[in-house]
Amino acid sequence: MTRRKVAVTPRARKPLTMYVCGVTPYDSGHMGHAFTFVIFDVLVRFLEAGGKRVKYVQNITDVDDPLFERARRDGVDWRDLADRETKVHLRDMTVLGWRPPDKMPKVSEEIARILGAAAKLKSSRHAYHSDNLYFDASSYRGYGRLSHRTRRSMIRKLREEELLGAVGPSAKRDALDFPLWRRSRDGEPAWPSRFGNGRPGWHIECSAMAMRYLGPQIDIHGGGRDLIFSHHESERAQSESLTGKAPFARAWVHTGMVRYNGRKMSKSLGNLVKVSQALQRAPAAAVRLYLVSHRYRRDWDFQWSGLARAARFIERMRKLLADDARSKGPKKPAGRALMTEFNRALADDLDTPRAVRALRSAVRQKDAAAVLAMQAVLLGTASLT
Ligand SMILES: [Zn+2]
């Protein structure tokens, strides 16, 4: 939030808590998603390799506008679409060798908690009811500080994302207010509540799930960079208004966008590279290595030549490990200088490209023990073949 690195030290004996905004299951399985979730997987594995305990929650946003729009357009039931795309996400991440989150709550199974949070905001006058129940953004000091945006820039982003909605006596009072509970349209799920039959707004879903599973304050909150505004800005405002405790998240970690042919990958532009397509050309470990060869906070361009280079390196690494496994005699411990460099790289704001260079050095020096230790963190359980 300060655009600076912060040290996150878990409180004594308690696990470090991490919440990452998961997929809205309607276009799962592309490289942009894989990049985000592999980066957070490296973070979890690095912390755990260092002896820390991590409690990791990643949600499934199965109640959200883009999902319903897609279901309507394709003439399918939103539940079927969500189930299918959630399976794609889990399949991809399993192949990419992640350490699964400890809990993956689905919004559709958390409605009571979400409603409870919305009602509490209403009774503490952070929310008001007109056509929908809205959060009053002006009731929270510092709305806009997480994303470093002016009021005008926030409104512009809301308009771009078609989240602006209507302002007026029978709608929201101010352009920055956002729905906590809203009426459902045809084909959308509706749950009964004292604010009318309807469904939750997007932001309150994550606040309620993060707090249910990780408590009022969490150590690390992550997601793609496109979520900083309005999603995380709003989550922070609601959560701190609900609990009176600040900060809601001690550190915010946002991953960059993956482009293809110069533009952000998105289904609407038709330039998605699917994880399944990449896996047809390279082993899972190579796909993962290619992803983590990029700095997490920067945007980057997916290139097939980069994936091919990663695959050639993985093959060299596989041969080294196979030779080492066959060789008799005592195994040498991992070289200390190599491991120090590797751990320093990841401790320095998760500098994965530098950690990949350490892995390359370990392969060049034929240090199989160091390669294995680095592989476990960077590549997880992704297959080398
Ligand atoms: Zn979220």
Side-chain angles (χ1 to χ4, degrees):
M1 186 185 156
T2 51
R3 292 179 173 168
R4 276 185 282 116
K5 293 183 258 187
V6 290
V8 177
T9 26
R11 292 129 301 152
R13 286 201 299 277
K14 285 198 178 138
L16 188 137
T17 53
M18 180 163 103
Y19 184 91
V20 175
C21 288
V23 291
T24 297
Y26 74 103
D27 73 339
S28 308
H30 67 74
M31 280 297 168
H33 290 136
F35 179 56
T36 293
F37 301 120
V38 163
I39 286 292
F40 286 105
D41 189 58
V42 172
L43 178 55
V44 173
R45 287 178 178 281
F46 174 59
L47 291 166
E48 290 184 336
K52 294 192 178 63
R53 282 191 302 138
V54 181
K55 193 166 176 202
Y56 176 17
V57 175
Q58 183 191 122
N59 71 295
I60 307 263
T61 310
D62 64 348
V63 176
D64 194 15
D65 293 315
L67 169 70
F68 300 139
E69 276 160 28
R70 183 60 49 90
R72 246 193 310 271
R73 193 199 73 182
D74 296 353
V76 295
D77 188 283
W78 66 275
R79 276 161 295 218
D80 295 339
L81 177 61
D83 280 351
R84 187 185 77 205
E85 294 294 312
T86 300
K87 282 195 186 111
V88 168
H89 173 52
L90 295 176
R91 181 200 66 200
D92 286 350
M93 294 315 299
T94 303
V95 173
L96 291 176
W98 77 345
R99 172 264 202 224
D102 299 296
K103 179 77 194 169
M104 296 187 76
K106 290 182 179 174
V107 173
S108 60
E109 293 167 4
E110 300 284 334
I111 299 297
R113 295 281 174 157
I114 296 167
L115 256 175
K120 201 172 161 201
L121 285 168
K122 170 84 165 41
S123 59
S124 60
R125 296 175 181 277
H126 286 287
Y128 59 90
H129 192 209
S130 52
D131 59 336
N132 294 317
L133 182 70
Y134 293 101
F135 183 81
D136 175 359
S138 71
S139 75
Y140 173 77
R141 275 169 62 97
Y143 191 77
R145 269 188 213 156
L146 176 68
S147 55
H148 301 271
R149 281 176 185 265
T150 61
R151 178 181 170 84
R152 181 189 288 199
S153 142
M154 289 191 276
I155 291 174
R156 191 182 341 111
K157 178 99 191 300
L158 289 172
R159 188 176 292 120
E160 278 166 19
E161 299 192 335
E162 296 177 12
L163 292 172
L164 192 54
V167 177
S170 59
K172 59 183 182 178
R173 290 179 195 155
D174 184 83
L176 294 183
D177 298 349
F178 52 86
L180 299 169
W181 189 261
R182 52 193 289 183
R183 287 198 221 136
S184 303
R185 290 193 285 171
D186 285 348
E188 296 177 357
W191 288 270
S193 88
R194 63 181 163 104
F195 311 112
N197 283 359
R199 62 182 177 92
W202 175 27
H203 315 309
I204 192 71
E205 300 175 341
C206 279
S207 289
M209 289 184 283
M211 285 193 256
R212 174 173 188 187
Y213 295 104
L214 299 175
Q217 292 181 290
I218 52 185
D219 292 313
I220 298 173
H221 193 314
R225 208 197 50 218
D226 51 341
L227 298 181
I228 299 177
F229 187 84
S230 60
H231 189 47
H232 289 167
E233 189 77 58
S234 306
E235 253 190 65
R236 170 175 171 258
Q238 295 164 153
S239 303
E240 293 182 5
S241 300
L242 259 173
T243 63
K245 287 186 178 155
F248 167 52
R250 293 187 175 84
W252 292 88
V253 179
H254 292 107
T255 51
M257 301 288 109
V258 183
R259 293 179 300 242
Y260 187 53
N261 295 331
R263 305 179 78 174
K264 180 195 161 185
M265 269 189 207
S266 79
K267 196 144 187 173
S268 52
L269 291 172
N271 65 344
L272 293 183
V273 176
K274 294 273 186 176
V275 174
S276 53
Q277 290 173 296
L279 289 170
Q280 283 169 4
R281 300 208 200 178
V287 175
R288 221 179 126 124
L289 181 78
Y290 179 51
L291 294 172
V292 302
S293 302
H294 300 88
R295 203 63 211 273
Y296 80 83
R297 50 171 78 238
R298 297 217 185 104
D299 296 353
W300 56 281
D301 269 290
F302 179 90
Q303 286 175 335
W304 290 106
S305 58
L307 179 60
R309 253 196 318 278
R312 287 194 294 275
F313 172 76
I314 289 294
E315 179 54 17
R316 272 205 303 285
M317 185 177 129
R318 187 194 65 75
K319 280 189 183 138
L320 170 75
L321 293 177
D323 290 347
D324 183 71
R326 270 195 301 273
S327 75
K328 305 270 188 308
K331 302 282 181 208
K332 272 192 289 182
R336 190 176 295 173
L338 281 170
M339 288 313 298
T340 302
E341 167 58 14
F342 180 78
N343 289 322
R344 274 204 190 129
L346 293 180
D348 182 13
D349 195 24
L350 205 70
D351 191 343
T352 54
R354 188 175 146 198
V356 168
R357 288 197 293 278
L359 173 64
R360 288 180 180 276
S361 301
V363 169
R364 257 196 317 275
Q365 295 174 29
K366 300 197 188 321
D367 185 335
V371 170
L372 283 170
M374 295 177 190
Q375 176 192 12
V377 172
L378 286 179
L379 307 179
T381 54
S383 170
L384 299 178
T385 55

